[in-house]
């Protein structure tokens, strides 16, 4: 299974499934600006996201990942 995350954009009522390595849209739809921000955030925090993916696979608690500033 490809490491991935789910992004939701509440005001547009849309969501996407995004790959972590490399950060990219896999499925769904987000407004272009929102998708760009998700990809930027995932690129900056790729190592943390992959570590959390491994934690999730082994049913360990996830660690928080900082938001995009």
């Amino acid at each position: 299974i490809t490491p991935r995350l789910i992004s939701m954009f509440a005001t547009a009522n849309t969501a996407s499934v995004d790959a972590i390595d490399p950060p990219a849209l896999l499925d769904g739809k987000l407004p272009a600006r929102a998708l760009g921000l998700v990809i930027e955030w995932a690129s900056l925090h790729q190592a943390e996201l992959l570590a959390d993916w491994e934690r999730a696979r082994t049913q360990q608690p996830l660690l928080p990942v900082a938001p995009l500033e």
Side-chain angles (χ1 to χ4, degrees), residues 3-55:
R4 61 191 175 274
L5 57 97
I6 296 172
S7 307
M8 293 181 280
F9 191 68
T11 57
N13 198 26
T14 59
S16 67
V17 177
D18 309 291
I20 296 173
D21 186 19
L25 177 67
L26 293 176
D27 191 26
K29 190 171 187 173
L30 289 178
R33 177 164 161 68
L35 180 59
L37 292 171
V38 168
I39 298 300
E40 179 183 353
W41 174 79
S43 296
L44 292 170
H45 297 285
Q46 189 173 33
E48 296 163 83
L49 293 167
L50 288 170
D52 265 354
W53 177 263
E54 288 303 317
R55 285 185 193 92

Side-chain angles (χ1 to χ4, degrees), residues 56-69:
R57 285 178 17 94
T58 58
Q59 299 180 342
Q60 296 177 27
L62 304 181
L63 300 177
V65 179
L68 188 62
E69 294 185 25

